[in-house]
Amino acid sequence: MFNPGYYGEDTLMGGMYPPAARRGGLPQRFDEYYRCYPVAMLPGPERTNVNHGGKVIMPGSALDKLTKLHISYPMMFELHNGAAEKMSHAGVLEFIAEEGKIYVPYWLMQVLQVEAGDLLQVKSTDLPSGSFIKLQPQSTDFLDISDPKAVLENVFRNFACLTKGDIFTFEYNDQTFDMAVLETKPTSEYEAIVVLETDLEVDFAAPIGYEEPKRPSGTSTPASGRCGLPAGGILHNQGSMAKAINYDSIAPDATSAAAGAKAVSSNFLYGGQKLSSKKGSKAPTPQASTPVAGASTNAPAVSIRRTNGPQPLRLPPNKLFFGYHIKPVKKDGEKADVDEQPKFQGQGQTLRGKKSAAPEPKPAEKTPNPPADSGGRTLRGSK
C-alpha cells in the first residue's frame, strides 16, 4: 500500500499520469519513426484537400502517446529525412492510418526527397504564429487568377504551418499551382510559422518566367535629339492625325464615298470583250475553271459605301481624335426668332376646283295662240 512505485506499476494510473508529469519534470517530446506513404494511397475515397494541404495522417497509437505528453495545441511536428538531411514541418489532420504508417501530401514528400515506404522521423515541436510570409508563384499562370487574396485565404485553411524553402501546391479551377515560400516572420530556429488563426500579411515575388512589358517612351531623349528628331518626340509619319485617319473621306460633309460608289456601280466602267476572238490573235482563249469541292468560284462580295455622312471612326488603342465639326448650340434669342416666323403661308389647293353658282332660270313668255282658220285643209294640198 505504501510502495513508492505503486502508481508506476499500475497501468491505469501510469497512463493517466506520465512520469514527467508526476515528478514535476520537463514535458517529454514525441519522437517516432514511421513508413512514409503519399495521401493518394490512403484507403477510401480520394481526398484532394489533404493532398494539396499541409497536414499528415498518423496512426491511432500516436494519439495515445500524444495524450500522455504535454503537447500544446495545435499540434505541430518536425518531419526529418535523415538520409537526405531534409526537414520540414506539418500539422496533423486525423489518426486513422495503419500502425507504423504515416500519410504525407505528395508535395511534402518531394520537399523531403522521400519515396513511398521510406522511414520518416516525426518529432513534436512548437512554432510561433506567423505575421508575414513572402511567396513566389512557380508559373505565370498564377497571374490569371482574378482574386489571389481570396484564393489563398481558402487554401491556407488546409495548412497548419509553412517552412521557408517549401514549395507547396494548391488546386484552383481544375488547375494545380506551385508556390514557393521565400520568407517568413517572425524568425525562428527553423524559419517556420503557424498560419492558423493569425493575421498574416502576404507578399508576392514576380512569378518565375515573368518579364516586364517594354513600353516605348513618348518623350525625347538626348540621344534622339542628336539624331535629328524634334524636341517634342517622334512625329507621325503621315503628318497630322486627320491625314493619318483620312478624315476627309469620313467627315459628315464628305461626298467622295457616294461618288466612288456610283463609279463602282456603273455597268460601263470597263472595256468590253468579244465572245469570238479574231484570227491571228495571240491572246489565249479563256478556259473554264474546274470546280473544286469545298471551294467557291465566285469572287467575294465587296462591301461598298453608297451613302455620305459620318462614318465609324476606328483608331488604334490609346489614341483619341478631336477633329469633328462642332455644331454650336442655339441660344434662347435665336429660338424665339424662329418661333415668330409664320409657319403657314399661301393658299390651299384642292384636287377639284370650286363649283360656280348656276344662273336662275327665267320664266318662259307666253305666245298668243294663232286665230283659228275657217278654211279646212285636204290631204292633196290647197284647193
Side-chain angles (χ1 to χ4, degrees):
M1 180 176 179
F2 298 98
N3 185 5
Y6 174 75
Y7 291 103
E9 296 174 358
D10 185 75
T11 56
L12 178 61
M13 298 301 293
M16 293 178 61
Y17 301 98
R22 294 196 306 270
R23 300 187 180 92
L26 296 175
Q28 294 183 354
R29 188 178 186 183
F30 181 87
D31 189 355
E32 294 291 338
Y33 285 86
Y34 296 99
R35 293 289 179 181
C36 177
Y37 294 94
V39 176
M41 298 180 64
L42 180 68
E46 183 180 0
R47 306 174 68 173
T48 306
N49 61 330
V50 182
N51 193 33
H52 295 289
K55 300 178 182 180
V56 298
I57 297 179
M58 303 175 66
S61 61
L63 178 60
D64 296 337
K65 294 180 181 180
L66 289 169
T67 54
K68 298 176 183 179
L69 303 174
H70 290 205
I71 303 298
S72 61
Y73 289 86
M75 297 181 182
M76 301 295 166
F77 299 93
E78 296 177 5
L79 306 179
H80 293 267
N81 179 15
E85 296 183 356
K86 295 291 184 179
M87 189 270 292
S88 186
H89 297 81
V92 59
L93 180 64
E94 295 175 353
F95 296 90
I96 60 173
E98 299 88 344
E99 290 298 326
K101 294 183 180 180
I102 183 174
Y103 292 95
V104 182
Y106 183 69
W107 69 265
L108 192 52
M109 294 182 63
Q110 291 181 324
V111 171
L112 297 172
Q113 298 180 5
V114 294
E115 300 292 338
D118 292 348
L119 278 177
L120 193 65
Q121 185 180 11
V122 181
K123 294 181 180 181
S124 60
T125 187
D126 294 331
L127 298 176
S129 296
S131 60
F132 174 82
I133 187 171
K134 187 173 184 180
L135 305 175
Q136 183 184 31
Q138 301 298 291
S139 174
T140 55
D141 296 338
F142 181 78
L143 300 177
D144 298 335
I145 300 178
S146 59
D147 192 356
K149 179 181 178 181
V151 172
L152 287 178
E153 287 180 356
N154 189 32
V155 168
F156 283 165
R157 295 176 183 175
N158 300 323
F159 288 79
C161 58
L162 287 172
T163 307
K164 180 180 178 180
D166 287 351
I167 301 179
F168 65 92
T169 62
F170 66 92
E171 191 175 21
Y172 178 72
N173 281 350
D174 298 332
Q175 187 175 359
T176 303
F177 297 89
D178 297 341
M179 189 75 66
V181 180
L182 301 183
E183 184 181 355
T184 58
K185 292 182 181 180
T187 58
S188 60
E189 180 182 0
Y190 298 108
E191 297 183 328
I193 57 173
V194 177
V195 296
L196 292 175
E197 300 178 358
T198 181
D199 188 7
L200 188 64
E201 180 183 355
V202 181
D203 188 17
F204 292 97
I208 294 179
Y210 175 75
E211 296 180 359
E212 290 287 344
K214 298 180 180 179
R215 299 180 180 179
S217 176
T219 59
S220 61
T221 59
S224 62
R226 290 192 299 267
C227 296
L229 296 177
I234 301 175
L235 295 178
H236 200 281
N237 55 0
Q238 295 184 7
S240 63
M241 175 66 76
K243 293 182 180 180
I245 65 174
N246 195 14
Y247 176 71
D248 295 337
S249 62
I250 64 175
D253 54 351
T255 58
S256 58
K262 182 177 180 181
V264 172
S265 61
S266 176
N267 295 328
F268 302 97
L269 192 61
Y270 305 102
Q273 295 183 0
K274 292 184 177 181
L275 296 179
S276 59
S277 58
K278 295 182 179 180
K279 293 182 179 180
S281 176
K282 297 182 180 179
T285 303
Q287 298 180 359
S289 60
T290 305
V292 180
S296 175
T297 57
N298 299 328
V302 180
S303 59
I304 302 173
R305 175 182 165 189
R306 300 181 181 275
T307 58
N308 292 321
Q311 299 298 317
L313 180 62
R314 297 178 176 86
L315 296 176
N318 303 326
K319 284 192 177 182
L320 300 175
F321 178 70
F322 302 94
Y324 278 103
H325 295 290
I326 300 176
K327 294 184 179 180
V329 180
K330 296 182 180 180
K331 299 181 180 179
D332 297 337
E334 297 179 358
K335 293 183 179 179
D337 297 341
V338 176
D339 295 339
E340 293 177 358
Q341 295 179 0
K343 298 182 180 180
F344 300 98
Q345 293 181 353
Q347 299 178 356
Q349 299 291 336
T350 59
L351 296 179
R352 59 183 185 179
K354 296 181 180 180
K355 295 183 178 180
S356 59
E360 297 181 358
K362 297 181 180 181
E365 297 180 358
K366 295 183 179 181
T367 56
N369 295 330
D373 195 3
S374 60
R377 294 177 180 251
T378 60
L379 296 176
R380 293 184 300 178
S382 61
K383 295 180 179 180

